[in-house]
């Protein structure tokens, strides 16, 4: 199963959300197995954790780090509370803090890239910390959400479920040099079959159970829904929809028992991570993420979004970008001037944003 929390604009930075009150600290782990790109592994294991705990792999955004995601999310704090799981916080080796979600190696089972380093962490945790191999989960924001989808496609044998907060579909960045403007701007479209074939090619011959997730610049929301409903054999029309779930203004669509997609209207890229909802989806708490739907038949989000991104304004000097919109970076051909009072801030070589 997988929950995907989405917003209407894909970018590559997340502001820290909520201070973490975890009692312990991160422990760096080395020599954990095959790690061709030198991804760093950090572990949070709460005092008194149960035997055979579950595992959550929590992956940071571009410009982030394991320490930033540890401090900016509540997973470690919740691990202290429930004592039923441990958390691995990988740290990307890229100088800009972004994950490799574009190379053939990272998109292919056991072929290399950042994804293999993370898979090795999971295998190490199962062998050395008594982790229950049937309760391994993944989550991430922005670039970390993209890696969540990569792992869902390339390592479906390792993960039970995932939760992606504002990313892009599996292989949407394939063949690029770290950043793919066509994908990021939501102009890369394929059929459901084409998207699904990309996932199946990540681990050729695999026929077992799969985790799932979707991701998004808002147009990517529909593309990812096409991708994962095709993989699971579901219709792109949701079975149920639920308004104001998990927050007011957010809409949860359920396409089958293994796939939900949540659209968050009017939410900037620093989308608030709903850690307790994620734990419920993973089955690590006594609550569930579904309830009586408010409707049972709606147009598929892949063709009829519940909200659309604000259009750039136009001035005498040409188009200007809105708040949170992209305004620069390698390969960017859109507006480079931000609407007042916002300014274009360079976040990394591939992405500048109106803040």
């Amino acid at each position: 199963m997988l929950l995907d929390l989405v917003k209407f604009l894909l970018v590559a930075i997340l502001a820290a959300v909520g201070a973490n009150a975890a009692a312990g600290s991160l422990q760096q782990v080395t020599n954990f197995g095959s790690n061709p790109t030198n991804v760093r592994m950090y572990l949070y294991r709460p005092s008194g954790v149960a035997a055979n705990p579950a595992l959550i792999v929590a992956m940071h955004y571009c410009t982030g780090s394991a320490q930033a995601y540890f401090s900016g999310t509540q997973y470690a704090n919740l691990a202290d509370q429930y004592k039923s799981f441990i958390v691995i916080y990988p740290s990307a080796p890229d100088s800009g803090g972004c994950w490799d979600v574009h190379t053939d190696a990272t998109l292919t089972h056991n072929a290399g890239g950042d994804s293999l380093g993370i898979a090795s962490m999971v295998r190490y945790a199962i062998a050395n910390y008594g982790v229950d191999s049937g309760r391994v989960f993944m989550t991430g924001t922005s670039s970390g959400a993209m890696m969540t989808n990569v792992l869902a496609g390339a390592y479906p044998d390792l993960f039970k479920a995932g939760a992606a907060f504002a990313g892009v579909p599996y292989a949407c960045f394939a063949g690029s040099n770290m950043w793919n403007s066509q994908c990021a701007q939501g102009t890369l479209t394929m059929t459901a079959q084409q998207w699904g074939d990309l996932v199946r090619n990540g681990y050729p011959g695999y026929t077992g159970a799969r985790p799932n997730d979707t991701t998004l610049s808002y147009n990517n929301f529909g593309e990812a829904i096409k991708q994962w409903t095709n993989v699971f054999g579901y219709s792109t029309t949701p079975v149920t929809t639920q308004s104001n779930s998990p927050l007011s203004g957010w809409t949860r669509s359920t396409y089958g028992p293994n796939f939900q997609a949540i659209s968050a209207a009017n939410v900037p890229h620093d989308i608030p991570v709903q850690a307790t909802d994620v734990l419920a989806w993973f089955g690590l708490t006594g609550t569930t993420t579904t309830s009586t739907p408010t409707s049972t038949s709606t147009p598929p989000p892949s063709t009829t979004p519940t909200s659309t991104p604000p259009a750039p304004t136009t001035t005498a000097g040409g188009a200007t970008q809105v708040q949170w919109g992209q305004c620069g970076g390698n390969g960017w051909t859109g507006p480079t001037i931000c609407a007042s009072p916002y300014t274009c801030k360079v976040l990394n070589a591939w992405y500048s944003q109106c803040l």
Side-chain angles (χ1 to χ4, degrees):
M1 298 191 299
L2 168 96
L3 169 68
D4 175 45
L5 300 184
V6 195
K7 48 174 280 308
F8 58 75
L9 182 66
L10 170 68
V11 298
I13 183 66
L14 170 75
V17 180
N20 198 315
S25 59
L26 286 179
Q27 168 195 354
Q28 185 170 8
V29 180
T30 59
N31 301 318
F32 50 82
S34 182
N35 185 25
T37 60
N38 197 31
V39 179
R40 294 178 299 282
M41 175 182 177
Y42 293 88
L43 175 71
Y44 187 78
R45 185 163 44 171
S47 174
V49 66
N52 303 120
L55 169 65
I56 295 177
V57 179
M59 293 165 285
H60 63 76
Y61 41 87
C62 273
T63 76
S65 64
Q67 292 81 2
Y69 213 54
F70 166 72
S71 299
T73 60
Q74 290 296 315
Y75 295 113
N77 185 39
L78 290 167
D80 284 335
Q81 177 180 344
Y82 289 104
K83 309 290 189 184
S84 61
F85 64 92
I86 64 176
V87 189
I88 288 176
Y89 296 90
S91 200
D94 174 65
S95 60
C98 298
W99 292 103
D100 166 18
V101 296
H102 62 286
T103 65
D104 288 342
T106 202
L107 292 167
T108 305
H109 184 76
N110 284 343
D114 290 355
S115 67
L116 178 56
I118 296 171
S120 295
M121 296 176 194
V122 171
R123 292 162 176 159
Y124 183 88
I126 292 171
N128 291 275
Y129 305 130
V131 165
D132 181 349
S133 62
R135 294 190 299 147
V136 177
F137 309 99
M138 56 189 165
T139 188
T141 302
S142 192
S143 185
M146 299 181 198
M147 180 54 78
T148 299
N149 272 338
V150 167
L151 293 170
Y155 295 93
D157 55 323
L158 290 181
F159 295 93
K160 178 68 174 179
F165 290 77
V168 299
Y170 172 89
C172 194
F173 270 36
S176 64
N177 182 19
M178 191 61 75
W179 185 257
N180 186 317
S181 293
Q182 183 185 19
C183 177
Q185 296 164 31
T187 61
L188 180 59
T189 61
M190 297 186 190
T191 66
Q193 184 68 40
Q194 289 171 325
W195 280 121
D197 286 345
L198 288 173
V199 172
R200 285 180 283 270
N201 289 338
Y203 191 172
Y206 179 77
T207 58
R210 291 182 181 271
N212 182 345
D213 93 294
T214 39
T215 22
L216 302 299
S217 135
Y218 202 80
N219 287 342
N220 280 318
F221 184 46
E223 295 303 301
I225 287 172
K226 286 192 292 184
Q227 180 175 67
W228 291 107
T229 52
N230 178 265
V231 171
F232 280 103
Y234 299 153
S235 169
T236 55
T237 301
V239 177
T240 63
T241 61
Q242 185 178 354
S243 300
N244 301 317
S245 175
L247 297 177
S248 177
W250 296 28
T251 301
R252 186 193 308 271
S253 297
T254 299
Y255 296 83
N258 295 329
F259 179 47
Q260 292 183 356
I262 297 178
S263 175
N266 302 316
V267 176
H269 191 64
D270 55 342
I271 182 170
V273 173
Q274 300 302 299
T276 54
D277 201 66
V278 170
L279 261 62
W281 177 254
F282 290 167
L284 295 177
T285 61
T287 59
T288 64
T289 60
T290 59
S291 61
T292 303
T294 57
S295 65
T296 58
S297 179
T298 62
S302 57
T303 57
T304 308
T306 57
S307 65
T308 56
T313 58
T314 302
T315 67
T320 59
Q321 186 59 282
V322 297
Q323 183 187 20
W324 308 111
Q326 185 174 0
C327 54
N330 292 344
W332 173 249
T333 59
T336 57
I337 299 175
C338 300
S340 178
Y342 309 109
T343 58
C344 190
K345 303 290 187 182
V346 177
L347 304 179
N348 55 53
W350 302 276
Y351 202 88
S352 299
Q353 184 181 17
C354 290
L355 299 171

